Every structure is written in C-alpha cells, then in structure tokens.
Amino acid sequence: VQADELAGRADLRQLEFMTIDPVDARDFDDAVCVELLGKDAKLDDMRLHVAVADVSHYVREGTAVDHEATLRCFSAYLPDRAIPMLPHALSSHMCSLVPDADRLAMVVSMRLDAAGEASNVQLRAAVIHSRKRLSYEQVAAELEDAGKLDEPVVARIKLLRRCADRLRVLRLHRGA
C-alpha cells in the first residue's frame, strides 16, 4: 500500500483482523474483527468489523481487466489448479488480505448489543492489517478447547463465536 492510496480511508490497522478460510485456500479476500465494548462479552456490546478486499481500487470500471472479470464472473477452484477471475497479481497479492501486510479494504462496522441488534453501522474504505490466517479446522478445534493457538487469538475466536451466537439467536427469533 502506497501513502497516496491512504487518502480518504479509515486507518483500521490497529484492529485485530484475521482471516478464516479453508486450509487449501488460495486467496484471502475477507477478514473479521470483533471488539468488546465493555468488561463482559456476555453482557456488554461488541463492535463487529467485516473487511472485504477493495478490488474496485485496482479494477476500474470499463478497463480490460474489468471486462475480462465480467466475462469470467467468478474464480474457479479445481483440485489441480485455480482459474482466477482476476489476474494473479491482484487475486493472490494486492487484493489478498494476507497476514502482516497493509491492505486496502471495504469495511462494514457495527455495534451489536446483547440481543444481537445492530446499530451504528458504518461502511467505509479503509486500510487494515490482518494479524492471523486461520483455517476453519483451527477455529473449530479452538472452540472445542484444543489450546494450540496463542491465548489472545483464542480469546478473539471465542469472542467471534459469541458474536455469531447473538446474530443466530436474532435470526431464529425473526423466523429464519
């Protein structure tokens, strides 16, 4: 990320974003972070942040890359190869929210209360710095108390689970 690309973007690099993807994922286009806004995650509000790589910063409407991506519609992942929608330099590098690198993203942030109700929703262009790449299997193991990851990472995983549980209860209450 170049200094001139930061103009007009929220600087969220201090937040503890992490990606959670399959073990064999080839790109990392989304990341999550949740902050506790009080002393007890069971009682107090949380702020959830969901980041998606800001592809629109690199792929401008009407360009050859945009046209080719429109024709492809999506990336295809086959057992022996991947056929990306975007050029490799974009899909696996600049638009991949890899750990320990500043990346441009579109981020939605919201406050969630104990009942899972969202408020103070913000959508903004930002720069983030993912702290950790996790697999679904690692997350599932830690939720079963595997104890293989560092305690701060485990605490963030458990907080994300509490956040997801709140949202699930609300969805079920609404008839989902």
Side-chain angles (χ1 to χ4, degrees):
V1 175
Q2 304 298 319
D4 63 330
E5 295 175 306
L6 300 179
R9 289 184 177 272
D11 188 345
L12 304 179
R13 292 177 283 192
Q14 78 284 2
L15 297 177
E16 300 287 331
F17 278 96
M18 58 185 155
T19 61
I20 305 172
D21 291 287
V23 172
D24 59 352
R26 295 183 178 113
D27 58 20
F28 309 96
D29 54 3
D30 54 71
V32 292
C33 172
V34 65
E35 302 174 274
L36 184 58
L37 299 177
K39 295 179 184 177
D40 183 355
K42 293 180 182 176
L43 301 174
D44 295 323
D45 293 355
M46 293 184 253
R47 181 168 289 116
L48 173 66
H49 307 273
V50 179
V52 178
D54 187 0
V55 176
S56 67
H57 178 79
Y58 299 101
V59 180
R60 300 294 182 188
E61 189 173 352
T63 63
V65 174
D66 177 50
H67 179 71
E68 184 64 25
T70 301
L71 291 175
R72 291 184 183 202
C73 297
F74 55 86
S75 299
Y77 298 98
L78 306 170
D80 61 336
R81 68 188 184 284
I83 304 168
M85 180 176 73
L86 298 172
H88 182 74
L90 289 175
S91 64
S92 296
H93 180 59
M94 294 185 298
C95 294
S96 193
L97 304 179
V98 295
D100 302 321
D102 293 348
R103 290 291 188 256
L104 303 180
M106 296 302 296
V107 179
V108 63
S109 302
M110 66 193 80
R111 187 177 189 124
L112 290 177
D113 66 17
E117 292 286 348
S119 63
N120 300 335
V121 178
Q122 294 179 289
L123 176 63
R124 54 200 162 160
V127 58
I128 71 164
H129 189 95
S130 178
R131 300 292 193 269
K132 194 81 174 162
R133 174 189 173 210
L134 297 173
S135 70
Y136 296 137
E137 294 82 0
Q138 284 176 301
V139 170
E142 290 305 325
L143 291 172
E144 296 293 324
D145 294 323
K148 293 183 179 180
L149 296 174
D150 295 335
E151 182 52 38
V153 175
V154 174
R156 289 196 314 270
I157 289 170
K158 290 182 177 180
L159 194 54
L160 278 168
R161 177 55 183 262
R162 289 183 184 139
C163 183
D165 289 345
R166 288 180 181 187
L167 292 170
R168 184 179 304 106
V169 166
L170 185 61
R171 277 195 322 269
L172 293 174
H173 179 73
R174 290 180 176 159

